[in-house]
Amino acid sequence: MNAESTLARLIYPTLGRGNPAEDSDDETWRWSALCAQSDPDEFFPDKQGRGGSVQAKRVCARCPVATECLDFALENHEEYGIWGGKTRRERRALRSTRAVAAAS
């Protein structure tokens, strides 16, 4: 599966199948995601660079649903891509921090 189809599937799981208001999984935030209007490759940078995550993070910084996106990625243990302005490594650190805080 390529990055574009992955992003489309994750951001718009019901695309072409109806109205966003009919989403039953309380993830209607996806319809406001700015990444859906951007090049999907920006959100799945390769390890060699090609600008890395800089452009994706710029989009996320302006996105009205970045918090919801990040929460989704953390809850679902998303391994790839930029979600809510955070890389895989940054999300892993956040999960660890939250786990420590929850244990206290």
Side-chain angles (χ1 to χ4, degrees):
M1 183 175 292
N2 66 30
E4 184 172 354
S5 63
T6 299
L7 186 64
R9 179 181 56 79
L10 293 171
I11 297 300
Y12 293 120
T14 59
L15 188 62
R17 291 188 278 151
N19 184 327
E22 296 171 356
D23 281 352
S24 61
D25 59 1
D26 195 28
E27 293 177 10
T28 56
W29 60 267
R30 295 172 185 239
W31 292 91
S32 299
L34 292 181
C35 58
Q37 303 165 25
S38 304
D39 179 4
D41 289 336
E42 293 174 356
F43 295 88
F44 295 91
D46 60 20
K47 290 182 179 179
Q48 280 70 39
R50 282 191 358 209
S53 59
V54 174
Q55 185 58 32
K57 286 184 171 205
R58 285 183 185 150
V59 172
C60 293
R62 300 186 334 265
C63 186
V65 294
T67 300
E68 291 89 340
C69 179
L70 178 58
D71 289 343
F72 174 85
L74 292 171
E75 290 170 13
N76 291 284
H77 300 280
E78 288 295 337
E79 288 293 319
Y80 303 101
I82 307 302
W83 290 81
K86 304 292 184 197
T87 63
R88 173 184 177 181
R89 184 173 288 143
E90 291 167 332
R91 290 191 307 275
R92 187 178 298 146
L94 278 173
R95 275 193 298 272
S96 294
T97 301
R98 288 182 178 185
V100 168
S104 302

